[in-house]
Amino acid sequence: MTQAQAKHLKDYQAPTFTISHIELDFNLKGSDTEVIAISKIQRVGEHSEALVLVGEQINLVSVHINGEPADYQEKDNQLSISTSLNDFELMLVTKQDPEANSSLEGLYMSDGAYCTQCEAEGFRRITYFLDRPDVLAIYTVRIEADKAAFPFLLSNGNLVEKGDVSESRQFVRWEDPFPKPSYLFALVAGDFDLLEDKFITRSGREVKLQVFVDKGNLHKADHAMVSLQKSMEWDESRFDLEYDLDIYMIVAVDFFNMGAMENKGLNVFNTKYVLADTASATDEDYHGIESVVGHEYFHNWTGNRVTCRDWFQLSLKEGLTVFRDQEFSSDLGSRAVNRIQAIRVMKNQQFAEDAGPMSHPIRPESVIEMNNFYTVTVYNKGAEVIRMMHTILGEQNFQLGMKCYFERHDGQAVTCDDFVNAMETASGIDLTLFRNWYSQAGTPVVTVVDQYDADNKQYQLTVSQSVTSQGVKGNPLHIPFSLELLNSAGQPLTNQVLDVKEAEQTFVFDNIDAMPVPSLLQDFSAPVRLDYEFNVDQLVHLTRFASSEVARWEASVGLFSQAVWQNVASLVAKEAMHLDARVIEAIRGIILDESLDKALVAEILAFPSAAALIEQVETVDLDALQAAREFVIDELAEACLDELVTRYRSLIKEDNAASRAFKNICLVLLSRVSSEYEGLVTEQYHAATNMTDSLAALKAAVSGQLTCQQTLMADFEQKWISTPLVMDKWFSLQASQNTPEVLTEIKALTEHESFSFNNPNRVRSLIGFFVAANTYQFHDASGSGYEYLTDILVKLNELNPQIAARMITPLIQFSKFDDGRQQKMKACLLRLKALPNLSKDLFEKVEKALEHA
Ligand code: B3K
Ligand code: ZN
């Protein structure tokens, strides 16, 4: 039965009891696993209410208070305990079967190892508890298990005791000195290979670093270890933050619902974000590992030392930590490329979320299933909001604000307002209007109209803003609007950040000799849609002269997008398609410009995806879009053939990630123009000494539908059949095929020996990839893609509701599609709504989508 009770931020109440200490005793015995929890509980304030704890999917064996059987009631996942005591010890005994737990929340098994995932509300699947982030307790954990099968028994904090219970069983005891909320609790028991190293903090303390991986994978743990060391060093130098325990552990498991989890001192990671060697991981994988290892490490201060008062404040830790990991990657690698990738997530995914039924402010006001709010809005728009504060305050004031935040709140569970207050106090800058970013949903539209007055040598910009979310109009926001003005020779006249605070404002620039070309909203200085009518000449000028590399990329996206939409219009008007020679020349110039960062050129030549283009318009004719997009890319590739071949041939000789990225995009473009280049593809595939190059060759073969495709795919499969993370890449490639047969093939692949519906990585790589990235085939007019996704969701609704709710996204973002497709998507949602056992996770999204239908 669905329990679909929404919780509201406005109803927040402080806890009426608190728990200062908890001693957990795990007796790991498969389906008969027992947990004894002894908590020291204190009544808060004067009241006579019962103590109400929450628990799910566990069997209660006994309840004692101060050693005596207690008076309790267990109903609807709540354990209500009546007592007049103000300060007491509660002992609970519960049993559960981790092997039967396919939701991967609470205590479960991954490939024979026990592990836990408690955020957001998984601890209640371990014992009845005050499972809310504003109850902070000191944890002591005893784990007992079979010695041979589980040589490593891990939990948070420091190992204080270890011994044998019998010949076959051993125990350990861990103590975490830092009070923490239950969502940061973790336990792992298993047999692993272990990579050990250390880090000396700037105050001279030695921290033991451990990375645990599945047996046989030790050689793939180095990059994660180095990334951890770099993260520790960076947090000291840029944020003045030092690690606080004597040990930091990372465990990689293959069965995991998301990327990783920042449990205190014991991070649990998806293998995807740990394991790498050049043979099996791409440059992109290496970058992802560095960024996620950093992200989880940075949580130790922004999340663990200072945590959230309630889950509505999730962006307090996530927005801030994403901002920190983005800065980490940008300080270590290319700032422009990292920024471009972050902008893509915002424009392609977050804007779509904000335009759909799941639109919510970065601090949501109402939630049914908390797991549904680990969103691109809370994380990525949340990070943009922190970035805007950073832009408004500047690095120095921002760091003073961080310092003030930790001085005030270390060891506490606080709100987003507390963070903004600290920034305001430390900088002296008024952030009153800025706070609207936390409470308002929707993507603001910033419209710019410019005018040049030759007599007075004045250039004038009128900037207006408006935001509506689900029909509700919002208030003006404080928008840092970064701009550069370029003269006709490409020289910068000014580069500054305007403070836009009103519904409409005019900015005047004096001593401007001629109409300049404006680079607007540089580097995406605010998460808004920019509405300004650029013409082709202006965009070409910007691709050549904008000081910001990100702005050059943006201008190229503008050129490409305009070309596609003009051709869509031509198709609708039954006119011939055409590509402006100026666009071709601009792209040719970029391919030939040796002074440009190769990684940037690769980003430019990646051209906006169908999904990215759909985000630019209100409604879409998918068939016309496909034809127009393919036409523009083909025209560009054909026109630049010689240049692409030349650059490809010289790039082959270089051995670095940026050159590989540029070279591989050349190969993809060449392979779509003519089968003449098939030789280059097979040559690269066979000569490749790293996964980046072999996978790129394979991609070129699949996207160009070359005859070698089948042979290469079969070769790859046979080579990597025992490496699950590489098979994920193969599954995604299969799912990426833009052919009508792809759905039949996907169905067959769910029977493949490497595939399992129980493993989220496999499900995401095959089915998740198809629904999210194979836009044309998923949205086939027959509705077959929608029906298939619905069949899968029915299955996952029982197996793993969190994954089901993640994958439903393309089915609820239907507003831009034609009536026929919309009707078919809605029919699928109705089918889900009728399920007798619909999970809270799917219920919340299906209901919202149907409300907006
Ligand atoms: N905090 C975790 C995410 C937990 C998701 C729960 N459904 C990972 C992270 O953001 O670092
Ligand atoms: Zn996080």
Side-chain angles (χ1 to χ4, degrees):
M1 210 192 71
T2 306
Q3 300 158 325
Q5 281 287 332
K7 283 192 190 148
H8 300 273
L9 168 59
K10 64 173 167 39
D11 296 338
Y12 172 82
Q13 286 192 324
T16 52
F17 287 88
T18 195
I19 303 180
S20 56
H21 292 81
I22 176 167
E23 264 181 61
L24 286 162
D25 189 345
F26 288 84
N27 202 348
L28 301 175
K29 285 186 295 187
S31 60
D32 193 32
T33 289
E34 183 183 75
V35 179
I36 304 173
I38 302 176
S39 305
K40 287 198 172 39
I41 304 189
Q42 299 86 35
R43 191 179 297 271
V44 179
E46 296 272 315
H47 66 85
S48 54
E49 285 167 30
L51 167 68
V52 181
L53 306 178
V54 287
E56 278 173 23
Q57 316 274 334
I58 44 179
N59 300 316
L60 186 62
V61 177
S62 66
V63 184
H64 287 81
I65 287 188
N66 293 341
E68 299 292 325
D71 177 14
Y72 70 88
Q73 247 202 331
E74 191 193 12
K75 202 176 149 212
D76 297 337
N77 295 331
Q78 289 195 333
L79 177 65
S80 178
I81 303 171
S82 307
T83 173
S84 56
L85 298 171
N86 290 334
D87 202 330
F88 54 93
E89 189 182 273
L90 174 73
M91 177 167 107
L92 301 175
V93 180
T94 50
K95 292 219 168 188
Q96 60 174 299
D97 180 3
E99 281 168 30
N101 180 359
S102 62
S103 71
L104 314 189
E105 239 197 316
L107 177 63
Y108 67 93
M109 311 277 320
S110 170
D111 274 336
Y114 287 91
C115 62
T116 56
Q117 171 54 37
C118 293
E119 187 177 1
E121 298 179 326
F123 190 75
R124 63 190 63 185
R125 291 167 183 241
I126 290 174
T127 186
Y128 279 94
F129 201 67
L130 291 175
D131 188 15
R132 44 187 290 168
D134 56 355
V135 171
L136 280 70
I138 300 228
Y139 284 63
T140 308
V141 180
R142 182 183 177 279
I143 311 169
E144 185 187 314
D146 183 87
K147 239 197 278 187
F150 308 103
F152 292 101
L153 304 176
L154 315 173
S155 191
N156 319 85
N158 303 310
L159 179 70
V160 291
E161 204 186 341
K162 190 178 164 109
D164 284 348
V165 179
S166 66
E167 213 164 280
S168 64
R169 290 180 75 77
Q170 60 165 343
F171 81 96
V172 295
R173 189 186 300 279
W174 290 83
E175 272 177 17
D176 181 359
F178 292 95
K180 63 169 173 285
S182 49
Y183 82 87
L184 289 175
F185 165 78
L187 170 152
V188 173
D191 193 3
F192 302 100
D193 275 345
L194 168 60
L195 178 67
E196 279 196 293
D197 208 329
K198 64 181 178 192
F199 180 78
I200 312 283
T201 71
R202 60 166 178 202
S203 70
R205 275 187 316 104
E206 182 170 323
V207 181
K208 186 198 280 195
L209 308 179
Q210 298 185 316
V211 178
F212 296 86
V213 294
D214 277 345
K215 289 256 163 210
N217 285 309
L218 195 59
H219 62 291
K220 294 189 184 177
D222 297 320
H223 180 61
M225 179 63 87
V226 171
S227 301
L228 176 58
Q229 289 160 330
K230 286 183 180 165
S231 307
M232 297 178 89
E233 204 178 304
W234 182 86
D235 218 10
E236 289 186 354
S237 62
R238 173 91 188 256
F239 274 79
D240 200 23
L241 296 170
E242 186 175 332
Y243 187 59
D244 50 11
L245 285 166
D246 299 331
I247 180 168
Y248 194 95
M249 296 172 277
I250 288 179
V251 185
V253 299
D254 199 37
F255 285 66
F256 206 64
N257 279 345
M258 57 277 169
M261 177 64 212
E262 72 263 24
N263 316 299
K264 185 80 189 186
L266 176 56
N267 289 183
V268 179
F269 268 63
N270 188 323
T271 44
K272 181 173 163 56
Y273 292 107
V274 174
L275 302 181
D277 63 3
T278 50
S280 67
T282 60
D283 294 328
E284 204 183 320
D285 293 327
Y286 273 78
H287 182 264
I289 291 169
E290 184 180 87
S291 135
V292 178
V293 167
H295 181 97
E296 305 313 327
Y297 176 73
F298 304 141
H299 266 313
N300 190 55
W301 277 96
T302 52
N304 301 4
R305 288 289 287 255
V306 183
T307 195
C308 304
R309 183 193 73 172
D310 54 76
W311 289 120
F312 300 102
Q313 318 293 333
L314 180 61
S315 203
L316 171 79
K317 75 176 177 82
E318 295 304 346
L320 179 54
T321 306
V322 171
F323 170 77
R324 276 155 49 71
D325 84 51
Q326 289 175 350
E327 283 301 294
F328 170 60
S329 298
S330 304
D331 283 348
L332 264 59
S334 155
R335 182 160 286 272
V337 170
N338 278 289
R339 191 67 191 130
I340 288 168
Q341 284 161 358
I343 297 172
R344 277 211 193 98
V345 174
M346 284 302 297
K347 289 194 177 178
N348 305 353
Q349 298 174 44
Q350 199 283 325
F351 283 9
E353 181 164 87
D354 237 346
M358 272 298 286
S359 169
H360 53 275
I362 62 166
R363 181 183 55 212
E365 266 148 31
S366 144
V367 164
I368 292 178
E369 170 51 61
M370 190 53 215
N371 285 325
N372 283 341
F373 288 82
Y374 288 75
T375 58
V376 277
T377 298
V378 166
Y379 274 62
N380 303 77
K381 186 177 179 184
E384 294 301 323
V385 169
I386 302 287
R387 184 170 297 283
M388 284 190 285
M389 269 190 273
H390 184 268
T391 304
I392 293 166
L393 270 62
E395 168 75 5
Q396 204 183 350
N397 273 328
F398 184 85
Q399 291 299 348
L400 288 176
M402 291 299 300
K403 198 164 178 257
C404 174
Y405 175 63
F406 291 121
E407 271 164 13
R408 286 182 181 174
H409 302 299
D410 188 12
Q412 299 174 6
V414 303
T415 64
C416 297
D417 273 334
D418 291 320
F419 181 81
V420 181
N421 290 345
M423 286 289 154
E424 204 164 43
T425 309
S427 67
I429 293 172
D430 180 6
L431 295 171
T432 315
L433 189 62
F434 189 84
R435 284 183 177 78
N436 285 344
W437 282 108
Y438 283 89
S439 56
Q440 288 186 182
T443 307
V445 177
V446 172
T447 307
V448 177
V449 178
D450 62 346
Q451 224 181 342
Y452 180 65
D453 174 351
D455 295 339
N456 294 310
K457 293 192 179 303
Q458 271 185 344
Y459 177 66
Q460 184 177 308
L461 279 181
T462 303
V463 182
S464 46
Q465 55 163 311
S466 76
V467 58
T468 343
S469 166
Q470 298 175 343
V472 184
K473 212 171 149 26
N475 296 314
L477 294 147
H478 181 174
I479 297 172
F481 190 85
S482 165
L483 102 155
E484 176 175 58
L485 298 180
L486 297 167
N487 68 13
S488 57
Q491 280 146 350
L493 302 172
T494 180
N495 200 331
Q496 56 181 281
V497 180
L498 307 175
D499 271 309
V500 175
K501 293 182 167 178
E502 289 156 32
E504 188 176 305
Q505 261 168 289
T506 298
F507 299 88
V508 178
F509 302 86
D510 290 316
N511 303 319
I512 307 284
D513 288 334
M515 179 74 175
V517 176
S519 171
L520 303 170
L521 195 73
Q522 289 190 101
D523 297 2
F524 196 62
S525 63
V528 302
R529 274 182 207 273
L530 174 67
D531 179 10
Y532 175 83
E533 302 276 320
F534 282 105
N535 62 40
V536 173
D537 290 328
Q538 285 175 311
L539 289 172
V540 170
H541 200 70
L542 291 172
T543 60
R544 295 182 61 195
F545 301 116
S547 309
S548 151
E549 292 186 317
V550 180
R552 289 172 156 205
W553 166 78
E554 286 261 24
S556 77
V557 168
L559 277 178
F560 181 86
S561 307
Q562 283 191 359
V564 171
W565 296 122
Q566 274 156 13
N567 282 303
V568 167
S570 303
L571 284 171
V572 173
K574 307 222 178 321
E575 286 165 12
M577 292 198 278
H578 164 78
L579 182 59
D580 192 318
R582 288 170 295 175
V583 178
I584 297 175
E585 283 322 306
I587 298 298
R588 195 196 312 280
I590 289 166
I591 298 173
L592 291 175
D593 187 346
E594 304 229 3
S595 72
L596 286 175
D597 174 7
K598 297 185 177 97
L600 177 73
V601 180
E603 295 297 338
I604 292 174
L605 296 183
F607 301 128
S609 64
L613 289 160
I614 292 174
E615 266 325 294
Q616 300 173 356
V617 291
E618 296 277 311
T619 54
V620 68
D621 174 338
L622 202 57
D623 301 327
L625 172 67
Q626 169 161 216
R629 182 177 180 275
E630 304 297 299
F631 169 79
V632 175
I633 299 182
D634 285 343
E635 288 291 296
L636 287 171
E638 264 168 48
C640 302
L641 212 57
D642 294 342
E643 294 79 4
L644 288 169
V645 175
T646 312
R647 297 265 9 212
Y648 179 82
R649 294 213 185 275
S650 76
L651 287 162
I652 301 188
K653 298 172 202 129
E654 297 173 20
D655 182 23
N656 63 73
S659 303
R660 277 192 289 275
F662 187 0
K663 171 187 73 182
N664 288 329
I665 194 82
C666 290
L667 189 64
V668 168
L669 290 171
L670 288 171
S671 67
R672 54 182 293 149
V673 178
S674 150
S675 52
E676 198 185 310
Y677 300 101
E678 185 153 353
L680 289 184
V681 173
T682 47
E683 215 173 288
Q684 173 164 327
Y685 178 82
H686 292 294
T689 54
N690 60 70
M691 180 52 72
T692 306
D693 285 344
S694 51
L695 192 69
L698 214 50
K699 256 186 205 162
V702 173
S703 68
Q705 299 184 11
L706 306 181
T707 38
C708 62
Q709 173 185 349
Q710 245 131 37
T711 327
L712 298 190
M713 282 296 271
D715 180 80
F716 191 87
E717 176 191 15
Q718 184 242 328
K719 190 162 168 201
W720 295 105
I721 190 83
S722 337
T723 312
L725 288 176
V726 181
M727 285 308 286
D728 286 346
K729 300 178 193 303
W730 184 82
F731 281 128
S732 293
L733 271 178
Q734 295 281 12
S736 75
Q737 298 175 77
N738 187 15
T739 63
E741 297 78 40
V742 66
L743 191 54
T744 317
E745 286 175 31
I746 289 173
K747 287 180 186 168
L749 284 168
T750 60
E751 306 288 325
H752 192 279
E753 62 179 280
S754 299
F755 187 85
S756 157
F757 277 105
N758 282 304
N759 188 310
N761 284 351
R762 307 296 95 78
V763 175
R764 276 188 285 254
S765 68
L766 183 66
I767 303 161
F769 190 92
F770 172 67
V771 305
N774 194 340
T775 309
Y776 306 132
Q777 297 304 325
F778 172 66
H779 289 285
D780 184 80
S782 68
S784 57
Y786 309 150
E787 287 295 335
Y788 180 62
L789 174 56
T790 309
D791 294 342
I792 299 300
L793 295 180
V794 169
K795 198 183 190 95
L796 291 172
N797 176 54
E798 293 196 17
L799 269 182
N800 189 331
Q802 246 184 88
I803 297 298
R806 287 245 154 203
M807 293 219 317
I808 200 177
T809 303
L811 206 53
I812 63 174
Q813 293 176 351
F814 46 66
S815 66
K816 298 188 181 206
F817 292 91
D818 55 82
D819 224 40
R821 285 184 171 89
Q822 286 206 24
Q823 291 314 325
K824 292 191 170 84
M825 288 193 239
K826 285 174 202 166
C828 287
L829 294 173
L830 288 169
R831 173 143 82 92
L832 291 170
K833 184 183 156 95
L835 285 181
N837 54 354
L838 188 63
S839 59
K840 282 206 294 185
D841 314 57
L842 277 181
F843 170 82
E844 181 165 41
K845 294 195 173 181
V846 169
E847 279 292 297
K848 282 197 179 147
L850 288 170
E851 264 169 40
H852 290 90

